[in-house]
Amino acid sequence: GAFMKEDGTYYAQEVADLLGINKRTLFRWEATGKLPFTPARDIRDWRVYEQRQVDWLKRNVKLLLKSRG
């Protein structure tokens, strides 16, 4: 995709844009344990998502949005 860096990773804002959600929603899912992974952090402490994590989110975004919290 347009966002993918050379190493095939994405930043949170890019992931949020791809999913059509707010970045804060993504962080909330992470904080409340809704994700089966924890994104890595880069040198600036920004979250870095791998392609397989983005794929999981794409498959599950509707489900996650349904279970508000």
Side-chain angles (χ1 to χ4, degrees), residues 18-48:
L18 281 170
L19 297 171
I21 62 169
N22 195 294
K23 195 167 61 169
R24 284 194 299 265
T25 304
L26 191 57
F27 295 163
R28 189 173 69 242
W29 291 342
E30 186 188 327
T32 53
K34 290 194 193 312
L35 309 182
F37 55 82
T38 304
R41 301 283 186 139
D42 73 3
I43 199 93
R44 293 168 297 189
D45 205 36
W46 289 19
R47 288 169 179 82
V48 179

Side-chain angles (χ1 to χ4, degrees), residues 7-8 12 14 18 20-21 23 26 32 41-42 46 48-52 55-56 59 62:
D7 61 353
E14 297 165 344
L18 281 170
I21 62 169
K23 195 167 61 169
L26 191 57
T32 53
R41 301 283 186 139
D42 73 3
W46 289 19
V48 179
Y49 296 82
E50 297 168 31
Q51 182 64 57
R52 62 193 169 86
D55 290 342
W56 185 92
R59 283 196 306 275
K62 285 190 177 72

